Amino acid sequence: MGRGAEDYVIVAEGLRKRYDGVEALRGVSFRVRRGEVFGLLGPNGAGKTTTVGILVTLVKPSGGRAVVAGHDVAREPWEVRKRIGVVFQEPTVDRDLTAWQNLYVHGRIYGLPRRVIEERSRELMELVGLEKAMHRPLRSYSGGMIRRFEIARALLTEPMVLFMDEPTVGLDPQARAKVWEVIEELKKRGVTVFLTTHYMEEAERLCDHIAIIDHGRIIAEGSPEELKSMVGGDTLYLVAETRLDAEKLLRIASGYGEARIAEDGRVVVLVARDAPRLLPRILEEARAVGARIVETRYVRPTLNDVFLMLTGRSLRDEEGGWRDWARLHLHARRG
Ligand SMILES: Nc1ncnc2c1ncn2[C@@H]1O[C@H](COP(=O)(O)OP(=O)(O)OP(=O)(O)O)[C@@H](O)[C@H]1O
Ligand SMILES: [Mg+2]
């Protein structure tokens, strides 16, 4: 059964953008369903802000078309603008004014009566956890507070879709977590969100659907689970006590997937699905044949692995976590 265009809040078809000499977008297509959090994930310069710019009617595409909230962005930009909220990559607030004054100006530009602005401002500032800071000048806000304020302001006009361009870039982990909580709350309330990010953890945690963009092209699309299943499985590391134990382990591991012994001769590496379920079975079989294991770890695929597989490059700025453990560990054992 097909879905009608009315089920989609955003339809982008073959979007292209050329800035003198630079092909920022080379045919970008995707659809965003009502009520979902949709993430455009990609590294610096991939074309995320350009895509947002076109969808919010501020950048004129060189080709393709987009319909947002039921209206064509090129032909009816004002109809689109009335129905969307936007949080830009760079803050766009007046820091000399208080939150309330910023909200009031924003509401008046959209023709909302004062009483409505007052009522919604109270509710929205509460939603983003800033109700006590309503009358403070934004100069006194932290970066994370400014971001949350901008989300509240973007919602003042009750938009059909909220756009956020890298909502947590530059925030410390605590401030980032607070912004995530706000987005999760919006998701519960059924607000349609379009966000861009280059943090895979952010996309994975918040998004129902993710399009991965690289060099102006969508290279993969799906739910976080669908995307990760493209990589083909978890990686298990079984550290054996001796080379002989490793040989025995290899025979066992080969029964479950693609297995090999790492260079140092004592680490068996197995790529297989569902490591958490598999590991106890392997341990049991190892015990049965007397193969001694001194340590085990497994690493599940991340969106970074998907990006790595498709482009040969890494999405992330910094490495960390289990994967590093495995890499360092193998290195140390080898040395
Ligand atoms: N106004 C402009 N004039 C010329 N080139 C531009 C302009 N805006 C963007 N570009 C180029 O287009 C490409 C895509 O840029 P865009 O800002 O859309 O990427 P992005 O994914 O948002 O990157 P970032 O993560 O750094 O915000 C880049 O190569 C960029 O240098
Ligand atoms: Mg950008």
Side-chain angles (χ1 to χ4, degrees), residues 46-83:
K48 302 181 295 295
T49 298
T50 303
T51 305
V52 171
I54 292 172
L55 297 177
V56 305
T57 80
L58 296 178
V59 172
K60 195 171 141 43
S62 320
R65 62 178 213 119
V67 174
V68 174
H71 297 271
D72 187 289
V73 294
R75 275 181 290 152
E76 298 180 296
W78 284 103
E79 295 302 321
V80 172
R81 288 177 198 180
K82 278 191 264 177
R83 292 170 175 82

Coordinates of all heavy atoms in Angstrom, one line a residue, residues 46-83:
A46 N 28.9 18.7 4.2 CA 28.2 17.7 3.4 C 27.0 18.3 2.7 O 26.5 17.7 1.7 CB 27.7 16.6 4.4
G47 N 26.5 19.4 3.2 CA 25.3 20.0 2.6 C 24.1 20.1 3.5 O 23.0 20.4 3.0
K48 N 24.3 20.0 4.7 CA 23.1 20.0 5.7 C 22.5 21.3 5.8 O 21.3 21.5 5.6 CB 23.6 19.5 7.1 CG 24.2 18.2 7.1 CD 24.7 17.8 8.5 CE 25.8 18.6 9.1 NZ 27.1 18.5 8.5
T49 N 23.3 22.4 6.0 CA 22.7 23.7 6.2 C 22.1 24.2 4.8 O 21.0 24.8 4.8 CB 23.8 24.7 6.6 OG1 24.2 24.2 7.9 CG2 23.3 26.1 6.8
T50 N 22.7 23.8 3.7 CA 22.1 24.2 2.4 C 20.8 23.5 2.3 O 19.8 24.2 1.8 CB 23.1 23.7 1.3 OG1 24.4 24.3 1.5 CG2 22.5 24.1 -0.1
T51 N 20.6 22.3 2.7 CA 19.3 21.6 2.6 C 18.3 22.3 3.4 O 17.2 22.6 3.0 CB 19.5 20.1 3.0 OG1 20.5 19.5 2.2 CG2 18.2 19.4 2.8
V52 N 18.7 22.6 4.7 CA 17.8 23.3 5.6 C 17.4 24.6 5.0 O 16.2 25.0 4.9 CB 18.4 23.5 7.0 CG1 17.5 24.4 7.8 CG2 18.6 22.2 7.7
G53 N 18.4 25.3 4.5 CA 18.1 26.7 3.9 C 17.1 26.6 2.8 O 16.2 27.4 2.7
I54 N 17.1 25.6 1.9 CA 16.1 25.4 0.8 C 14.8 25.1 1.4 O 13.8 25.7 1.1 CB 16.6 24.3 -0.1 CG1 17.8 24.7 -0.9 CG2 15.4 24.0 -1.1 CD1 18.4 23.7 -1.8
L55 N 14.7 24.2 2.4 CA 13.4 23.8 3.0 C 12.7 24.9 3.7 O 11.5 25.0 3.8 CB 13.6 22.6 3.9 CG 14.1 21.3 3.2 CD1 14.3 20.2 4.3 CD2 13.2 20.8 2.1
V56 N 13.5 25.8 4.3 CA 12.9 27.0 5.1 C 12.8 28.2 4.2 O 12.6 29.3 4.7 CB 13.6 27.3 6.4 CG1 13.7 26.0 7.3 CG2 15.0 27.8 6.2
T57 N 13.0 28.0 2.9 CA 12.8 29.1 1.9 C 13.8 30.2 1.8 O 13.6 31.2 1.2 CB 11.4 29.7 1.9 OG1 11.3 30.7 2.9 CG2 10.3 28.7 2.1
L58 N 15.0 30.0 2.5 CA 16.0 31.1 2.5 C 17.1 30.9 1.4 O 17.8 31.8 1.1 CB 16.6 31.2 3.9 CG 15.6 31.6 5.0 CD1 16.3 31.6 6.3 CD2 15.0 33.0 4.7
V59 N 17.2 29.7 0.9 CA 18.2 29.4 -0.2 C 17.4 28.9 -1.4 O 16.5 28.1 -1.3 CB 19.2 28.3 0.3 CG1 20.1 27.9 -0.9 CG2 20.0 28.8 1.5
K60 N 17.7 29.5 -2.5 CA 17.0 29.1 -3.8 C 17.7 27.9 -4.4 O 18.9 28.0 -4.7 CB 17.1 30.3 -4.7 CG 16.1 30.3 -5.9 CD 16.2 31.6 -6.6 CE 16.1 31.5 -8.1 NZ 15.2 30.6 -8.8
P61 N 17.0 26.8 -4.6 CA 17.7 25.7 -5.2 C 18.0 25.9 -6.6 O 17.4 26.7 -7.3 CB 16.6 24.6 -5.1 CG 15.3 25.2 -4.9 CD 15.6 26.6 -4.3
S62 N 19.1 25.3 -7.1 CA 19.5 25.4 -8.6 C 18.7 24.4 -9.4 O 18.6 24.4 -10.6 CB 21.0 25.2 -8.8 OG 21.7 25.8 -7.8
G63 N 18.1 23.4 -8.7 CA 17.3 22.4 -9.4 C 16.5 21.6 -8.3 O 16.8 21.6 -7.2
G64 N 15.5 20.8 -8.8 CA 14.7 20.0 -8.0 C 13.6 20.8 -7.3 O 13.4 22.0 -7.6
R65 N 12.8 20.1 -6.5 CA 11.7 20.8 -5.8 C 11.5 20.3 -4.4 O 11.9 19.2 -4.1 CB 10.5 20.8 -6.6 CG 10.0 19.4 -6.8 CD 8.7 19.4 -7.5 NE 7.9 18.2 -7.0 CZ 6.7 18.3 -6.4 NH1 6.1 19.5 -6.3 NH2 6.1 17.3 -6.0
A66 N 10.8 21.1 -3.6 CA 10.5 20.7 -2.2 C 9.2 21.2 -1.8 O 8.8 22.4 -2.1 CB 11.6 21.2 -1.3
V67 N 8.4 20.4 -1.2 CA 7.1 20.8 -0.7 C 7.2 20.6 0.9 O 7.6 19.5 1.4 CB 6.0 19.9 -1.2 CG1 4.6 20.2 -0.5 CG2 5.9 20.1 -2.7
V68 N 6.9 21.7 1.6 CA 7.0 21.7 3.0 C 5.7 22.2 3.6 O 5.1 23.2 3.2 CB 8.1 22.6 3.5 CG1 8.1 22.7 5.1 CG2 9.5 22.1 3.1
A69 N 5.1 21.4 4.5 CA 3.8 21.7 5.1 C 2.8 22.0 4.0 O 1.9 22.9 4.1 CB 3.9 22.9 6.0
G70 N 2.9 21.2 2.9 CA 1.8 21.3 1.9 C 2.0 22.4 0.8 O 1.2 22.5 -0.1
H71 N 3.1 23.1 0.9 CA 3.4 24.2 -0.1 C 4.7 24.1 -0.7 O 5.7 23.8 0.0 CB 3.1 25.5 0.6 CG 1.7 25.7 1.1 ND1 0.7 26.3 0.3 CD2 1.2 25.4 2.3 CE1 -0.4 26.3 1.0 NE2 -0.2 25.7 2.2
D72 N 4.8 24.5 -1.9 CA 6.1 24.4 -2.7 C 7.0 25.6 -2.2 O 6.5 26.8 -2.1 CB 5.8 24.6 -4.2 CG 7.0 24.4 -5.0 OD1 7.9 25.3 -5.0 OD2 7.1 23.3 -5.6
V73 N 8.2 25.3 -1.8 CA 9.1 26.3 -1.2 C 9.4 27.4 -2.2 O 9.6 28.6 -1.8 CB 10.4 25.7 -0.6 CG1 10.1 24.8 0.6 CG2 11.2 25.0 -1.7
A74 N 9.5 27.1 -3.5 CA 9.8 28.1 -4.4 C 8.6 29.0 -4.8 O 8.7 30.2 -4.9 CB 10.4 27.5 -5.7
R75 N 7.5 28.4 -4.9 CA 6.3 29.1 -5.4 C 5.5 29.8 -4.3 O 4.9 30.9 -4.5 CB 5.4 28.2 -6.2 CG 5.9 28.1 -7.7 CD 5.0 27.2 -8.5 NE 5.1 25.8 -8.1 CZ 4.2 24.9 -8.2 NH1 3.0 25.2 -8.7 NH2 4.4 23.7 -7.8
E76 N 5.5 29.2 -3.1 CA 4.7 29.8 -2.0 C 5.5 29.9 -0.7 O 5.1 29.4 0.3 CB 3.5 29.0 -1.8 CG 2.5 28.9 -3.0 CD 1.3 28.0 -2.6 OE1 1.5 26.8 -2.4 OE2 0.2 28.6 -2.6
P77 N 6.6 30.7 -0.8 CA 7.5 30.7 0.4 C 6.8 31.2 1.7 O 7.0 30.7 2.8 CB 8.6 31.6 0.0 CG 8.1 32.4 -1.2 CD 7.2 31.5 -1.9
W78 N 5.9 32.2 1.5 CA 5.3 32.7 2.7 C 4.3 31.7 3.3 O 4.1 31.7 4.6 CB 4.6 34.0 2.4 CG 5.6 35.1 2.3 CD1 6.1 35.7 1.2 CD2 6.3 35.7 3.4 NE1 7.1 36.6 1.5 CE2 7.2 36.6 2.9 CE3 6.3 35.5 4.8 CZ2 8.1 37.3 3.7 CZ3 7.2 36.2 5.6 CH2 8.1 37.1 5.1
E79 N 3.6 30.9 2.5 CA 2.8 29.9 3.1 C 3.6 28.9 3.9 O 3.2 28.3 4.9 CB 2.0 29.1 1.9 CG 1.0 30.0 1.2 CD 0.0 30.7 2.1 OE1 -0.5 30.0 3.0 OE2 -0.4 31.8 1.9
V80 N 4.8 28.6 3.4 CA 5.7 27.7 4.1 C 6.1 28.3 5.4 O 6.1 27.7 6.5 CB 6.9 27.3 3.2 CG1 7.9 26.5 4.0 CG2 6.5 26.5 2.0
R81 N 6.6 29.6 5.3 CA 7.2 30.2 6.5 C 6.2 30.3 7.6 O 6.6 30.2 8.8 CB 7.6 31.6 6.1 CG 8.9 31.6 5.3 CD 9.3 33.0 4.8 NE 10.2 32.9 3.7 CZ 10.8 33.9 3.1 NH1 10.5 35.1 3.5 NH2 11.6 33.7 2.1
K82 N 4.9 30.5 7.3 CA 3.9 30.6 8.3 C 3.7 29.3 9.1 O 3.2 29.3 10.2 CB 2.5 30.9 7.7 CG 2.3 32.4 7.4 CD 0.8 32.6 7.0 CE 0.7 32.6 5.5 NZ -0.7 32.8 5.1
R83 N 4.1 28.2 8.5 CA 3.8 26.9 9.1 C 5.1 26.1 9.6 O 5.0 25.0 10.0 CB 3.2 26.0 8.0 CG 1.8 26.4 7.6 CD 1.3 25.7 6.4 NE -0.1 26.1 6.1 CZ -0.4 27.2 5.4 NH1 0.5 28.0 5.0 NH2 -1.7 27.5 5.2

